[in-house]
Amino acid sequence: MRALPSAPALYAIVLAAVAVLGEFWPALTNPWYVYDDARQHVFWTYRYQDPSLFPGDLYADVFSALAPTGYHALYWVIARVGDPLTASRWLGPGLAAVMLWYAWRLGRAMEPRWGGFLTALLLMPYLYTLGGGLPRSFALPLLVPHLYFVTTAQMAKASVVLVLEALLYPQVFLLGVGVQALAVARAAFRGPLRRPLALFLVGATVGGLSLASRYFVERPAALGPMVTWAEARRAPEFQPGGRGEFFDPDPFAFWVKGSRSGLGWNTGVPQVVALAILLALLLGRGIRRTPPVVVDTLLVSGALFAAAHLLLFRIHLPNRYVRWTLPLAAVLFVAAHARPLAERLRRRAPALGRAWPYLARGRWAAALVLLAGVAAGSRWVASPRPTPPEVVGLHQYLRTLPPDALVAGKSAVLASVPLLDRRRVLEDREFAQAYFTGYYREVMRRTEARRSAWRAESPEALTRFCREFRVTHLLVDRRAGDSPVTLPALTAGAIFDNGRFLVWRCPR
């Protein structure tokens, strides 16, 4: 008969379940809830259910072309057995379970008693990175198992994960290649090299070929050339407040705080890194016993961070190479050293040694307090904010439009229309990515044309705009602060009006 999980393991499972529920509850209970970037990365997958959707749509074509091969395959399967949006919401809890399970195992591989619990616990604040069923949702759920297999010298499984990284999130693939290559090089000094090297080369080659076929052979002409450093430096879109904010005159903001250019220091990293630094100061020479995978992860991340700046935008954003690895390396450092340091402090401080049994007895009281705190926080987070009824009413109406409908207007709701309603939109800030010049030029052409039509004093200008871009419906959001000058005339001919939103059918 198999032994039941230990009390700490059971506690960790309950704690993880509460944290996961708190993070993903709003998306699982509110059918109108949408993760921000799911509006770009999930909507086009409905083409796998109905090829007639989004006919000739620029955004569907571009974001589909930029998606990794494995992501295409995953949603191809999902679309044949269920609803892509629903599945994208449930992927978050599933990926959280994978990440926390391997975090527990990775931590225990480094320190058998406290390591697993501390690694899983300290990674829980990063559950938010898993939501939406996006390519980046797979970053930590792939990186953590990869580090576990490398740490435990299971190179065959590590190479399988390496291929999955290339198929689902290429930035983590580059990190994985570097970490596994260093592990293979280190193994050469301990024993036979042939098998680890062969497995690594197979995984790296297969993954690299999948990337080459996807991003160099199949790239659509509509994207145009990638923006250069000089062009981006002059473009307002890449300055503070722009859609792709990257450059910042403040060096600290650019290199440290920047969520695209820097370390992302304002995204929960400082706390865990500060804890790791405190432990390092207390350890002294004991820092030499840091697991190699921690050092390797930092070295590879730093090298790719620098390379991404030198090859700006060619291998994606610099922050994506430290966003997950910096906190993960700090967490693993803490997990590996916390118990040995506590034991050493207990031996050196007699008073602490005498109090240790009482502290041990009180650990479950502390655990209950911690669980109650997480539960209370999760309850606050998980309280779904109801979607305003006028927003729901608009989406329900737009779903009744013909599949080839094309909606133009100015409203924050437009970004969710392709995903929630499976209808095309002419332009929206959400899709205005400036990394490819041809694509962005067309997006801005549409935006400027819509703005000109909105400022025109004659309804005929709106008619000409509709005919030029084959727009079938105009949407006005009275709360958007940018209503057409001819709004009174539109109101009179509206086919839908719920007080906040007005829809007008363009003349054929």
Side-chain angles (χ1 to χ4, degrees), residues 27-356:
L28 298 177
T29 56
N30 182 354
W32 307 105
Y33 182 95
V34 175
Y35 287 96
D36 282 349
D37 286 353
R39 297 176 295 185
Q40 300 174 7
H41 297 288
V42 178
F43 81 95
W44 57 266
T45 64
Y46 277 97
R47 280 178 163 178
Y48 289 130
Q49 282 191 336
D50 183 356
S52 68
L53 290 177
F54 309 113
D57 185 59
L58 174 68
Y59 308 125
D61 293 342
V62 164
F63 284 99
S64 171
L66 294 177
T69 303
Y71 192 76
H72 275 269
L74 174 65
Y75 276 92
W76 181 87
V77 173
I78 287 173
R80 276 155 176 71
V81 298
D83 178 64
L85 177 57
T86 302
S88 73
R89 290 168 169 163
W90 280 99
L91 274 173
L95 293 173
V98 171
M99 182 191 77
L100 293 176
W101 169 244
Y102 278 101
W104 175 275
R105 299 182 72 182
L106 177 58
R108 285 176 65 87
M110 295 183 173
E111 201 290 306
R113 292 186 60 183
W114 292 11
F117 174 75
L118 285 175
T119 303
L121 177 68
L122 294 175
L123 282 180
M124 284 182 193
Y126 297 91
L127 291 173
Y128 77 94
T129 66
L130 313 182
L134 317 173
R136 72 160 181 259
S137 303
F138 293 87
L140 278 172
L142 288 172
L143 184 59
V144 173
H146 195 185
L147 296 187
Y148 169 71
F149 293 131
V150 168
T151 300
T152 56
Q154 301 182 64
M155 292 303 180
K157 293 180 179 178
S159 294
V160 171
V161 177
L162 194 61
V163 174
L164 291 176
E165 289 169 348
L167 292 173
L168 291 167
Y169 195 61
Q171 290 73 32
V172 174
F173 168 72
L174 296 179
L175 290 163
V177 165
V179 171
Q180 192 168 339
L182 290 177
V184 170
R186 190 177 292 106
F189 294 96
R190 298 195 301 265
L193 177 63
R194 182 177 299 175
R195 177 176 167 77
L197 179 60
L199 291 170
F200 166 68
L201 291 177
V202 169
T205 301
V206 173
L209 289 175
S210 73
L211 291 182
S213 66
R214 187 71 191 156
Y215 295 109
F216 296 104
V217 177
E218 301 177 8
R219 176 162 287 177
L223 285 172
M226 182 172 284
V227 65
T228 65
W229 185 93
E231 291 170 335
R233 196 69 185 84
R234 296 190 302 266
E237 291 80 4
F238 294 101
Q239 308 308 315
R243 175 67 179 88
E245 181 176 350
F246 186 86
F247 299 101
D248 196 301
D250 180 358
F252 183 79
F254 180 75
W255 291 105
V256 180
K257 291 178 62 178
S259 61
R260 293 184 176 92
S261 62
L263 301 178
W265 202 249
N266 54 345
T267 55
V269 175
Q271 295 84 349
V272 68
V273 172
L275 180 58
I277 293 173
L278 175 62
L279 278 182
L281 294 174
L282 293 173
L283 282 168
R285 294 183 179 178
I287 197 173
R288 299 175 188 172
R289 293 189 292 273
T290 298
V293 73
V294 176
V295 179
D296 294 350
T297 300
L298 290 175
L299 288 175
V300 174
S301 300
L304 286 170
F305 179 77
H309 272 286
L310 292 172
L311 304 170
L312 193 56
F313 307 133
R314 297 302 187 273
I315 58 171
H316 205 38
L317 301 170
N319 173 260
R320 300 306 181 256
Y321 298 100
V322 292
R323 182 176 187 175
W324 296 277
T325 52
L326 189 60
L328 179 56
V331 165
L332 294 177
F333 181 86
V334 171
H337 291 295
R339 181 175 170 271
L341 179 61
E343 294 283 357
R344 192 169 72 178
L345 292 176
R346 184 181 64 155
R347 290 192 300 268
R348 291 187 177 183
L352 181 60
R354 290 190 295 271
W356 190 265

Side-chain angles (χ1 to χ4, degrees), residues 30 383-389:
N30 182 354
S383 300
R385 297 185 180 121
T387 304

Side-chain angles (χ1 to χ4, degrees), residues 4-16 101 104 108 117 364:
L4 293 174
S6 63
L10 285 173
Y11 169 67
I13 292 171
V14 173
L15 184 63
W101 169 244
W104 175 275
R108 285 176 65 87
F117 174 75
W364 291 114

Side-chain angles (χ1 to χ4, degrees), residues 364-382:
W364 291 114
L368 290 174
V369 171
L370 180 60
L371 178 59
V374 172
S378 299
R379 185 182 223 175
W380 178 78
V381 172

Side-chain angles (χ1 to χ4, degrees), residues 408-410 449-457 462 465 474-476 482-486 490:
K410 172 65 175 176
R450 197 270 309 160
R451 289 173 179 170
S452 297
W454 248 232
R455 292 191 295 263
E457 297 182 357
L462 288 174
F465 163 73
L474 296 178
L475 170 66
V476 176
D482 185 22
S483 297
V485 173
T486 56
L490 290 178

